[in-house]
Every structure is written in C-alpha cells, then in structure tokens.
Amino acid sequence: MSDPAIRVRDESGIGVVEIDHPPVNALARPVRAALLEAIERLAHDPAVQAIVIHGCGRHFIAGADVREFDAPPAEPLLHEVLNRVEALDKPVIAALHGTTLGGGAELALASHYRCATPDLSFGFPEIKLGLLPGAGGTVRLPRLVGIRRALELMTSGTPIGIAAARELGLVDHELRGDVLAGAVAFARERIAAGAPPRRTTDLPMPAPESPTVFADARAALSAAARRVPASEAIIAAVEASASQSWRAALAAARERFDACRRSTESRALRHLFFAERVPPPAGTPQPVATVGVVGAGTMGSGIAIAAAAAGLEVTLVDAQDAALAAGLGRIERHFADAQRKGRLDAAGAAAATARVRGATTLEALAPVDLVIEAVFESLEVKRGVFAELGRACRPGAVLATNTSTLDVDAIAAASGRPADVVGMHFFSPAQVMRLLEIVRGRDTAPAVLATAFALGKRLGKIGVVVGNGFGFVGNRMLYAYGREKELMMLEGATPIEIDRALETFGMAMGPNAVGDLAGLDIGYAVRRGWRERPDDPRFYRVSDLLVEQGRLGQKNGRGFYRYEPGGRRGTPDPEVDALIRAEAERLGIARRAIGADEIVERCMLALIDEGVRLLEEGIAARASDIDLVWCHGYGFPRERGGPMFYADTLGLGHVLERIRCYARTRGPRYWTPTASLERLARDGGRLADEPSAPTTSATGRG
Ligand code: 3H9
C-alpha cells in the first residue's frame, strides 16, 4: 500500500482492510489515498468475495483529520472514496468498535453492512467543530433512520451507543468478543446467504415525519447553536435532499461544508479543539488514590463530589460539626439525584457516596496523597491551614490551595514545604465547571505541578497552568472586563443594557446577572483585600454602592436586579437606576446613551488588553490558554474562540487603533496599549502565533 497506515490481507476469500493510523485512525489524505487503492485492489481480485473494513486500536475511526481543514481539501476527497466503497459490487462490511465518529460514521453508512461491538460510540460531532457531515452523512443518514432522527443526531453532535444504533437500524449485527474475527465470520454468513451489496443511496429519501419537521429542528436549536452557521447548514442540506437526487444533494452539501470550514465560527471551534488537548506540563505525576478536602462549604463539597465521582477515596474535613454534616448531606443528595436522573445506578451512587468520609481535624489527612484546601478566602486563614497541613500530611503529599485571588507563594511559605504546594483553582459548582486553573508557585516542584494536572484530567477538567499573580488569568481579566461595564453604568448604560449587549454577543450570562448570582458581597470583600486596586473613585463603584445599600444579589432578592422569593430571573429595578444616577452626579460624571456596540467593544478590548498583559508577564503561557480559561470558566462564546482568538479575528491593527482611540477620548489610564500589541500590530502578527513561554510567579503583589 502507498501508506503503511493501511494493510490488506485475504482471509480465505474475505478481503480485510485494516486502518492503523494512531492515535484515532483519522482519515488524513495519505490514509484516504491508500484506502482507495486497497479497495480497488480487492474489487479486482477474483478470489475476494466480500470486504471487511476494520480500525486498529481503541477506535474504529474518529473522523476526518481536523488538522487538514485549514487548507482546501486535497484529493482523493473523502466523499469520493466513500462513494467508491458504496459502489463496489462485493459486499462491504464495516467492523465497528469504540469511537466511530464523523467521517468514520460516514464510511460506516457507505458500507453495505455494519456490525459492531458493545463499546460502540457512533455519532456526528462535526457540529461541535462548526461543520456539517460533508462526506455523505446528510444524504445517507436520513435514508437509514428518517429525517427527524437524522437531524437530531447531526445538529446535537451527541453520539449514541450500541442499543440505540441497533434500534435505529444503523447496526445489523452485534458482535461479542474480537471485532475483526466476528466481522469476518459475519461476512462469511452474508456470502453463504447470497447477500448482495446493499447501497444506502439506493433507498428513497424518506417522507418527512411531519410537515413541520424542519421548522421543529430549527426551533429546537439553542441560542448558541443558532450562532454557528453549520446548524442551519445541516438542516438546509437535509431539506434540500428531499427534492434532489442523492448526487446533487451531496454536491450541494459539499459546498455547504466548504463554506462552514472557512467560517470564523468553525475556525474558532477547531482552535479550541486543539487548545483543549495541550500536552501536560513536564514532570512525572505522582499516583493519587486518596484525596483530602479541607472546608465543607459549597466549593469543598463540590470538589469532594468531583473526586468521589472519579473513583477517588475522599476525606472531607471541616472543624465545625454542623458545616461538615451539611457538606456530607450535599454530597449524599448529589449522588441520590444522579441516581434519580439515571446517570448512576443504585450501586454506583451508594459506592460514590461511601467514598467520602468526614473528619473534623486535619490529622485525619495524615495518610492522603493530595489535599485540596477550600476554606474562606482570607490569606491569614489559609496560611493557618497550610501551617497545619505542612505538619500533618505525610512527606511527599501534594498540598493544593483553591484560592481564586490570593498569593500562592505566601500560602506555600506557611506550609514549610513550598515545593509540595500548588494552586488548584476550581470554579463553582466544582462538580460541573470544567475549568481548573493550576497555579505554579515560585517553588512548586515539576512533579507536583504534573500531579495536579493529571488529577484535573482524571476529574474531567480542562487544566490550564498559570503563573502566580493576583486573580491568576481568569479573575484578573474579569476585573478589567468588569471595570469597563461598571464605568459604563456610571456614564449612562443601565444594568440590563449591559447584560443584553453582552448576551447578544454570546456571553452565557451578562456580568451583572453573574454578580447577582455569585453574591455581590464576595467581590466586595476581595476588593477590600486587594492592595493593587486602582486608586480611582469610579472603580467598581456601582457594585460597591449596591453592597453598601444592602443589595447582595439573588441571596437577598436585591442586587443589580430585583428577584421574587426563590426566583432566579431578575427584573430591572428603578431604585438601582436612581442610585447609579445619583452616584454619577456625585462623582461629576456626565451621562449619555451608550449603544450595544460600544458596550461590547469596551468590554472586549479591556479583556484583550489584559490578556496581552498576562502573556507579557508570563502569567499565561500562551494565548490559547487564555481562551480556554474564558470559554470554560466565564461563559465566553465558543464560536468566537475565546478573547485572544477573537482579537486575532478582529485584526490586531484594528484592536490597536481602537485602544488608541479610547486613549484619546477617555484618557490613557486604562487605555495604554502594551508594547507587544504594538509590535504584533506593526508586523501583522497574531496572538495565536506567539511562542508559548513558561509561566512565572509575579512578585510584590497584594
Ligand atoms: C469530520 O469527520 C468531517 C467529515 O464529516 C467530512 C470531511 C470531508 N483529527 O481527544 P484525545 C487527536 S470532522 C485529527 O486526546 P481521547 C487529538 O488532537 C471530525 N486529530 O483522545 C490528540 O492529538 P495529540 C469529526 C485528532 O481518547 C489525539 O488525537 N470527528 C482527531 O480522549 C488524541 O485525542 C471528531 O470531531 C481528528 N478527527 O478521545 C472527533 N481526533 O495526541 C474528534 C483526535 O497530538 N475527536 N485527534 O494531542 C474526539 O472526539 C476525541 O479525540 C476521541 C478520542 C473521542 C476520538
């Protein structure tokens, strides 16, 4: 074969094509070329009566090679290879196992028969990359499973297992034991039964299940899905299939695929796909089987849930009996709910609950492999805990702090063993949010950093290594973003105008609604303890004023918005507007109408500028890390790729020009461009291309 990724052999009349292209058998150009060559050879071999296609390793095929999508498609095109497979006049059997996704699932649909093992995960995740199934999926899938189900599978991107695949008729035969041996035996049965090639495109396009099937699919799209052009492209491609020959429909789907491939949204989603798979930091992770969590509040119990769900033994410590009991109660309720919702069976829920035990002293943590401290956000309190942990924990145990803003080096110093200390900043609710900032302290040992990263991965988190500086990456940028929205409220925008503009841009929640949800008093307390807080009477003045007026957010029904008891949706409160107007007058700020474009631009430029500073300071190692932090921790719209990718799509020349414009109109205080932005804009560079730097620990911080 022209490429060693494809092997062909004859098993007494059955031609076996093996795809061996680790790690996931992606259908890269050389693989496609060799696959085509292989099937042509078998097609012309008179000794071969049927063909079995098999993927080596853990996966059948995970799809097309996503790395190729930055360039125009290269021949042989995948849909042409698949059309050739379907056209063969010998039965072709796809031997499915494990991950069978995207172009891999399309190859299965182009095969004449499909058999699969119970570990099958079959689906069309293209939409998650801003694409549509472009190698025949939109033409063949509806013919096999009906229009409604095909639209659901392709617009959601959610894979199905063997049971659903069998029910839908996607899998003809379930295999037990070795997939290849089973598939070859199945092929022999087909030959013995005189089974002919069975081409999916010979089937007629089914009638729509209802006259509203396409309208229903459009209505079912979430706001986020609607912002990705591929969602509409999938529905339109299937809709067009109903009135076209399959060949014409496939040609039209190819055009739609190519338009989606070139869209900013797909480029953004592909950028995140690769960013999410960054290699772990250097260093050998230590084994972790037992975890201690200090502090049984919402954060501590959330971390304990995440750890227990991942199979770790957890000791949850809280000095207060009542707090400990409340935390253990939360954990028990979480797993009981998971069982009620069918996510865990009774035995699984009982085992996960039993993996967490409570204790009231830190001595209970003497034998554990790793401790995560999640106590009150106060340097003094945390230093006290670390002094005790340093004594109580066994030598070599990793000591992690969940601080969101404090100096990890100062906390580490209190332990007496700073090389063992690392930051593990979870986001609330910790059992749900995927972001984990892993903070490298000045003395953190490489193995300790690697252990924190490996544990994060085991808990299903996206771990991002950051340097030690106030607010690390996420919260420091949040301050810049929040600063602008607070200023704009004094200048004339109402809280709801701010939130609506940013939600329309795609943020999961507007910043004022987020503040109310988190509790305005939390940020207030953090700002009081922040030594480097700007000396500006306008800085976060609106939020501070609300707290001083007893408006704490959802927790007491009054914040930026007013809430009905127990309600989560706030309504604008004229009292807040009056408070802001009076405060602006007191500060001598002239008010004016501020449009949505300005709201979005100022908040985004503030984020971008702070991100560039974090890169310059080495607190963030690469622009894509910042994008991960904002997309996974702060609800930044994925189809915009994160703030740094968004800056690149705006063009850094444009970003620089707008920052300079604000410097002229609003003063240089918050609007002085950084040297690296000036350089990149001058050279036509992109943040994405900046080489990554090791993260550092900032000094002299509050
Ligand atoms: C498509 O098929 C379009 C067609 O309809 C039409 C075409 C015309 N390509 O995730 P992991 C790499 S679109 C290239 O850590 P896991 C990945 O970057 C495609 N590379 O492993 C990583 O590399 P590295 C539709 C890929 O076991 C390594 O493989 N398919 C691809 O946790 C291991 O990945 C998808 O969207 C790829 N398609 O999960 C499936 N996939 O080691 C995307 C993976 O250098 N893939 N890599 O960092 C996945 O969902 C997961 O990777 C999978 C394995 C579940 C397969």
Side-chain angles (χ1 to χ4, degrees):
M1 273 314 103
S2 59
D3 190 281
I6 300 283
R7 290 189 297 268
V8 179
R9 62 169 197 276
D10 180 352
E11 285 208 11
S12 318
I14 309 292
V16 174
V17 179
E18 285 190 304
I19 303 175
D20 189 5
H21 184 51
V24 296
N25 295 332
L27 295 165
R29 201 206 64 80
V31 179
R32 296 196 296 275
L35 178 61
L36 189 58
E37 198 184 320
I39 55 171
E40 291 301 357
R41 194 166 105 191
L42 294 172
H44 292 100
D45 184 342
V48 169
Q49 293 174 283
I51 297 169
V52 168
I53 303 180
H54 167 61
C56 299
R58 282 196 299 132
H59 310 279
F60 174 64
I61 294 169
D65 189 332
V66 181
R67 286 168 307 186
E68 290 182 351
F69 292 160
D70 288 340
E75 295 199 336
L77 303 177
L78 183 57
H79 72 284
E80 289 168 359
V81 178
L82 302 197
N83 287 350
R84 181 67 190 118
V85 168
E86 191 181 54
L88 290 180
D89 51 18
K90 299 174 182 180
V92 180
I93 292 105
L96 309 180
H97 71 116
T99 302
T100 300
L101 298 176
E106 289 175 304
L107 171 56
L109 300 186
S111 301
H112 304 144
Y113 297 92
R114 290 162 290 278
C115 49
T117 49
D119 63 346
L120 179 72
S121 172
F122 185 97
F124 298 88
E126 285 91 338
I127 187 64
K128 296 181 181 165
L129 299 168
L131 299 168
L132 67 154
T138 56
V139 169
R140 291 194 179 92
L141 187 62
R143 286 178 158 76
L144 285 169
V145 305
I147 290 177
R148 186 182 296 281
R149 231 19 213 116
L151 289 173
E152 276 167 16
L153 285 169
M154 293 188 289
T155 55
S156 72
T158 309
I160 53 174
I162 183 84
R166 289 210 68 182
E167 202 183 305
L168 287 171
L170 288 169
V171 166
D172 303 296
H173 178 65
E174 185 170 340
L175 300 169
R176 298 279 158 194
D178 181 68
V179 59
L180 184 53
V184 169
F186 178 70
R188 285 197 202 294
E189 276 170 38
R190 297 286 83 206
I191 296 167
R198 197 186 55 174
R199 299 183 183 96
T200 307
T201 53
D202 284 347
L203 297 170
M205 187 68 182
E209 288 84 348
S210 88
T212 58
V213 67
F214 296 106
D216 294 347
R218 289 188 173 95
L221 296 175
S222 66
R226 257 178 227 150
R227 291 195 301 266
V228 177
S231 302
E232 172 55 30
I234 289 171
I235 300 172
V238 177
E239 200 168 19
S241 277
S243 57
Q244 285 175 313
S245 71
W246 73 266
R247 282 190 190 281
L250 178 54
R254 288 290 313 161
E255 279 176 28
R256 290 183 208 276
F257 176 85
D258 213 47
C260 288
R261 179 185 70 74
R262 285 181 276 111
S263 69
T264 306
E265 291 81 359
S266 176
R267 286 195 298 113
L269 291 164
R270 275 144 44 200
H271 156 75
L272 289 172
F273 176 83
F274 289 111
E276 281 157 2
R277 287 164 176 77
V278 288
T284 310
Q286 297 165 203
V288 174
T290 53
V291 168
V293 178
V294 187
T298 312
M299 183 54 95
S301 31
I303 296 170
I305 289 168
L312 293 152
E313 295 294 326
V314 183
T315 304
L316 180 65
V317 179
D318 201 300
Q320 312 293 323
D321 284 323
L324 180 63
L328 291 172
R330 260 194 295 274
I331 294 165
E332 203 176 327
R333 275 196 305 281
H334 171 89
F335 288 119
D337 278 355
Q339 183 188 338
R340 210 167 27 79
K341 292 176 186 157
R343 289 201 297 262
L344 278 179
D345 60 16
T353 310
R355 279 197 284 274
V356 185
R357 64 183 195 94
T360 50
T361 63
L362 295 176
E363 272 61 48
L365 301 181
V368 303
D369 301 320
L370 181 147
V371 179
I372 303 167
E373 161 281 307
V375 302
F376 184 64
E377 185 77 356
S378 141
L379 186 58
E380 217 162 279
V381 175
K382 291 196 190 269
R383 279 175 59 88
V385 169
F386 272 76
E388 275 193 64
L389 287 175
R391 282 190 292 275
C393 294
R394 66 166 176 76
V398 171
L399 310 179
T401 170
N402 178 54
T403 180
S404 53
T405 51
L406 299 171
D407 182 356
V408 170
D409 291 337
I411 295 171
S415 71
R417 39 194 274 196
D420 292 339
V421 178
V422 62
M424 288 181 80
H425 177 208
F426 289 83
F427 287 69
S428 196
Q431 69 276 22
V432 176
M433 297 291 286
R434 289 198 72 200
L435 178 63
L436 177 66
E437 281 185 324
I438 299 168
V439 188
R440 183 204 298 265
R442 193 179 43 229
D443 301 311
T444 306
V448 169
L449 198 71
T451 305
F453 190 91
L455 177 65
K457 193 162 173 139
R458 192 158 161 201
L459 303 189
K461 305 295 176 201
I462 303 273
V464 177
V465 176
V466 298
N468 180 31
F470 178 86
F472 315 121
V473 168
N475 281 344
R476 178 153 144 206
M477 289 174 72
L478 185 64
Y479 268 103
Y481 172 75
R483 172 200 82 216
E484 276 312 300
K485 65 98 180 168
E486 293 267 328
L487 289 175
M488 284 188 277
M489 284 190 286
L490 289 172
E491 291 164 24
T494 61
I496 187 115
E497 284 168 351
I498 299 275
D499 281 357
R500 274 209 195 115
L502 289 159
E503 284 169 13
T504 305
F505 173 80
M507 297 299 295
M509 261 175 113
N512 294 323
V514 171
D516 278 358
L517 179 67
L520 298 176
D521 50 330
I522 309 271
Y524 186 86
V526 171
R527 286 189 294 278
R528 304 281 89 69
W530 183 17
R531 278 214 313 260
E532 290 159 357
R533 179 194 154 135
D535 177 23
D536 177 353
R538 302 167 305 160
F539 188 74
Y540 273 85
R541 187 56 207 139
V542 176
S543 282
D544 285 357
L545 180 67
L546 295 186
V547 173
E548 286 155 14
Q549 297 290 322
R551 305 187 69 109
L552 307 183
Q554 283 190 19
K555 64 173 84 165
N556 70 352
R558 297 157 70 236
F560 280 103
Y561 302 102
R562 180 186 290 280
Y563 299 84
E564 293 305 321
R568 298 202 149 262
R569 276 211 153 269
T571 47
D573 188 342
E575 200 180 303
V576 171
D577 295 338
L579 276 174
I580 299 175
R581 266 197 308 274
E583 192 63 7
E585 196 172 325
R586 189 182 73 77
L587 291 165
I589 297 170
R591 286 172 62 84
R592 64 187 167 93
I594 298 184
D597 287 352
E598 180 177 342
I599 293 172
V600 170
E601 181 172 67
R602 280 172 62 180
C603 286
M604 289 305 132
L605 289 178
L607 263 185
I608 293 166
D609 172 70
E610 201 64 30
V612 173
R613 285 170 203 277
L614 287 164
L615 288 169
E616 276 187 2
E617 292 167 26
I619 300 294
R622 48 176 96 75
S624 57
D625 282 354
I626 295 178
D627 291 336
L628 289 181
V629 167
W630 270 76
C631 289
H632 286 288
Y634 297 84
F636 196 94
R638 283 182 69 82
E639 73 283 358
R640 293 191 191 269
M644 301 289 102
F645 185 88
Y646 178 62
D648 282 339
T649 61
L650 289 176
L652 297 183
H654 174 78
V655 169
L656 178 65
E657 182 207 310
R658 297 303 299 153
I659 289 180
R660 283 189 179 143
C661 171
Y662 282 116
R664 282 194 300 276
T665 56
R666 314 198 44 72
R669 170 169 213 150
Y670 299 121
W671 296 108
T672 302
T674 61
S676 54
L677 182 64
E678 304 243 13
R679 171 178 54 78
L680 284 165
R682 189 188 58 230
D683 300 346
R686 296 184 333 141
L687 289 163
D689 299 332
E690 283 286 88
S692 69
T695 48
T696 58
S697 182
T699 49
R701 13 159 320 179

